[in-house]
Amino acid sequence: MSNVAVVGAQWGDEGKGKVVDWLSSRADVVVRFQGGHNAGHTLVIGDRTFKLSLLPSGVVRPDKLSVIGNGVVIDPWALLREIEQVRSQGVVVTPESLMIAENAALILPVHGAIDRAREQARGAGAIGTTGRGIGPAYEDKVARRAVRVCDLADPPLLRAKVEDLLAHHNVFLTAMGADALDPDAMMVELEAIAPQVLPYAGVVWERLDGLRRAGKRILFEGAQGAMLDIDHGTYPYVTSSSTLAANAAAGSGIGPGAVGFVLGITKAYTTRVGAGPFPTEQTGDVGTLLGERGREFGTVTGRKRRCGWFDAVLVRQAIKTGGITGIALTKLDVLDGFETLKLCVAYRHKGRELHHLPYAQSAQGQVEPVYEEMEGWGESTQGARSWAQLPATAIKYIRRIEELIEAPVALLSTSPDRDDTILVRDPFVD
Ligand code: GDP
Ligand code: IMO
Ligand code: MG
C-alpha cells in the first residue's frame, strides 16, 4: 500500500479536484501542501457541484480527514467563507474533520493589495495572477516576517508582527499610489476571526505520523501544475510555490518516503490561464472549439482559458522533473468529433530540434512546435466507464501519448462527473 500524491502536469486546471474526489474513497486523509486560494478545484457529484479553493477535495466525504499543511498560504477570511459555502451545500466541517497547520503562513489583505498594485504596474507585462496575494504572502514567509496561524493565539506578538509587516509594506503601497493600511484596524479584524480559525489549528506532522503508523492511507492534493512551478515552470509566468510532488513532504511535515505513487493529472489537450509562453496554443477555430467543448473558464477568476493541442514535450518534462509515476488523462471526451488531432512531439528553435522546453524566457516564447497528426474519432467517449467502450482511434491516441511522455495512463476521465472514471492501474496498490 502506498500513499498517493496528485499533482498537475501542465499549467493547472487539469482536473485534479475530480480525480482527488474520486480517489479519496480509497484514502483516509486528504492533504493540501502548497498554494492557496488561487486554486480552484471542481467536483461534480451527480447534480451537485463543489468549487473548492483551500479545502482539500476529500472534505465532501464525511468519513475523511482533511488537512491543510504548512506549505499552504492561508487567507483566513477565504477559509471561513469556504467552510460556510460547503456547509450551505450540506457538508459537515468540524475541528474533527479539518485540521490546519499552525505553522502555515497567513495571507492578509495587504498581500492582495500588493499583488494587484504590482500587476497594474506591470501593464502589458503582467503575469495575470489571480490577485489573491499568493506571491507576496510567500515572499513574506521567506523573508521571515509572515504572520502564522499560531500567532493568532498570541495577541501581543500578533500586534508586533502586524505593525512590522504593515510598516514594511506601506512604504511600497503609498509609493504606488495605493492607500496605506492601518495596523489597528487589521488587529481588530484578526482578533475577530482568531476564535473561529484556532479550533482547526494543530500540529500536522504529529497527526500525520500517528495516522501513518496506524496504517491509514494519505492522499496529497497538489494545486496548480508543473509548468507553474517556481523552479521548473515557465518563469516568471509561474505561481510562487513548488507545485511538484516532492513538496508534499516538506509542505506537510512528512518524510519523502511517505509519498508513494505520484499521479500526474493531464488534460488530453492543453490549457493555460494568465500570461506566458504556450507553444501549442491555438488562437483560431481549434482553440475556440476546445474552449467551448471543454468549458474552459477559470474556476477562481472566471477568465477564459487559452487552449491548444496536447504538448507531449512539456508533459514528458513534467514527468521527469516531478517524478510522476503515471498519469490520469482527463477530458478525453472534449476531443470527440475532431477529424484530426495534433500532438506536439518536439520543438524547433533556431534550426535545432529540442526535446525540452528551454528555461530562457525569450527561447520559451520562440520555440515552434513540431506536430504529429493523428486520426480522431467520431464516436462519443463522454461518460465512458470502461476501456471497452472506447473507440479504437481513441485508444491509439492514448497509447501514443504514453509512448511520447514515457509514462503509463493509470486513470482516464471522460466527463466532469465523479463516476465517469476508468481505473487502469490502482495507484494505492501499485
Ligand atoms: P483542477 O484545478 O485541476 O481541479 O481543475 P478545475 O476544476 O479547475 O478544471 C477542470 C474542469 O474540467 C472542471 O470544470 C471539471 O468539472 C472538468 N472536468 C474534469 N474532468 C473532466 C473530464 O474528463 N471531461 C470533461 N468534459 N470535463 C472534466
Ligand atoms: P488549480 O489548482 C491555473 C496561475 C495564474 C497566473 C499564475 C500566477 O486550479 O490548477 P498566482 O495568483 O498564483 O500568483 O498566479 O498562476 N494560476 C493558476 N492557473 N490553475 C490554478 O490552480 C492556478 N493557480 C494559479 O493564472 O498565471
Ligand atoms: Mg482549477
Side-chain angles (χ1 to χ4, degrees):
M1 286 299 164
S2 82
N3 296 319
V4 176
V6 164
V7 290
Q10 292 154 321
W11 276 293
D13 301 327
E14 300 92 346
K16 296 177 292 294
K18 162 170 173 167
V19 173
V20 170
D21 169 51
W22 189 82
L23 277 177
S24 65
S25 74
R26 293 155 192 261
D28 302 292
V29 192
V30 183
V31 184
R32 274 283 306 269
F33 56 89
Q34 47 72 233
H37 66 315
N38 50 349
H41 297 177
T42 316
L43 281 51
V44 180
I45 306 163
D47 56 7
R48 294 189 305 163
T49 298
F50 296 91
K51 290 182 184 298
L52 304 174
S53 282
L54 260 174
L55 294 174
S57 296
V59 77
V60 299
R61 295 191 190 259
D63 51 340
K64 311 296 172 189
L65 175 67
S66 294
V67 175
I68 300 179
N70 53 275
V72 175
V73 279
I74 302 174
D75 177 326
W77 295 275
L79 175 74
L80 294 173
R81 273 197 305 274
E82 197 171 319
I83 291 173
E84 280 318 306
Q85 170 61 37
V86 297
R87 276 188 184 145
S88 76
Q89 293 184 275
V91 173
V92 177
V93 183
T94 65
E96 280 67 53
S97 65
L98 172 69
M99 182 178 201
I100 66 177
E102 60 181 33
N103 52 336
L106 293 183
I107 300 182
L108 300 180
V110 66
H111 297 122
I114 296 167
D115 194 356
R116 293 185 292 272
R118 278 208 199 120
E119 281 286 90
Q120 207 171 2
R122 284 187 192 112
I127 292 167
T129 71
T130 59
R132 300 278 165 106
I134 305 293
Y138 275 117
E139 287 170 33
D140 274 346
K141 174 175 172 170
V142 175
R144 296 168 290 196
R145 56 173 169 256
V147 174
R148 297 187 299 165
V149 172
C150 49
D151 299 334
L152 294 174
D154 184 348
L157 178 74
L158 183 65
R159 172 167 285 281
K161 292 187 81 166
V162 166
E163 282 174 359
D164 175 53
L165 193 75
L166 293 188
H168 177 85
H169 289 309
N170 279 339
V171 177
F172 170 78
L173 283 176
T174 50
M176 298 296 284
D179 292 333
L181 296 170
D182 174 21
D184 291 333
M186 186 75 272
M187 276 306 290
V188 172
E189 287 190 47
L190 284 169
E191 283 175 341
I193 52 127
Q196 296 170 66
V197 173
L198 286 169
Y200 299 101
V203 180
V204 161
W205 73 261
E206 206 163 36
R207 184 75 175 271
L208 291 182
D209 182 56
L211 289 164
R212 210 177 150 203
R213 279 189 285 118
K216 302 292 183 193
R217 290 199 227 180
I218 305 171
L219 180 56
F220 297 95
E221 177 177 10
Q224 292 82 52
M227 289 300 136
L228 289 170
D229 179 79
I230 188 73
D231 285 289
H232 295 288
T234 44
Y235 193 89
Y237 299 97
V238 292
T239 193
S240 297
S241 67
S242 171
T243 63
L244 309 186
N247 195 25
S252 63
I254 204 163
V259 182
F261 195 102
V262 180
L263 185 65
I265 315 304
T266 312
K267 250 180 224 187
Y269 49 100
T270 314
T271 65
R272 150 159 232 180
V273 53
F278 182 172
T280 63
E281 181 171 18
Q282 299 296 304
T283 49
D285 292 349
V286 169
T288 307
L289 198 59
L290 286 170
E292 282 172 0
R293 302 206 42 195
R295 296 171 197 245
E296 296 295 354
F297 292 92
T299 314
V300 173
T301 56
R303 289 178 292 177
K304 212 169 163 176
R305 296 177 184 146
R306 300 155 63 193
C307 298
W309 295 118
F310 188 87
D311 189 337
V313 179
L314 188 150
V315 173
R316 178 176 166 273
Q317 185 167 321
I319 284 165
K320 306 291 180 184
T321 54
I324 290 171
T325 323
I327 67 162
L329 193 67
T330 62
K331 305 191 97 163
L332 186 71
D333 54 296
V334 174
L335 300 181
D336 292 353
F338 275 89
E339 222 161 273
T340 51
L341 299 168
K342 288 186 183 178
L343 291 169
C344 172
V345 297
Y347 300 129
R348 219 182 300 282
H349 184 243
K350 296 191 170 163
R352 284 173 53 216
E353 191 170 291
L354 298 179
H355 292 273
H356 66 271
L357 186 63
Y359 282 119
Q361 208 177 320
S362 53
Q364 286 192 344
Q366 290 161 351
V367 296
E368 302 263 352
V370 177
Y371 287 116
E372 185 176 291
E373 218 164 80
M374 293 199 74
E375 197 188 333
W377 52 92
E379 303 91 328
S380 168
T381 65
Q382 197 195 349
R385 292 188 183 180
S386 77
W387 197 258
Q389 286 172 271
L390 301 176
T393 37
I395 293 177
K396 232 170 131 181
Y397 182 72
I398 298 166
R399 293 295 181 225
R400 185 63 185 136
I401 285 178
E402 287 180 318
E403 267 171 23
L404 290 168
I405 64 173
E406 298 174 29
V409 169
L411 218 78
L412 204 65
S413 168
T414 58
S415 101
D417 198 275
R418 175 192 268 179
D419 295 322
D420 293 336
T421 306
I422 302 172
L423 180 67
V424 184
R425 180 173 162 185
D426 189 341
F428 280 111
V429 296
D430 210 84

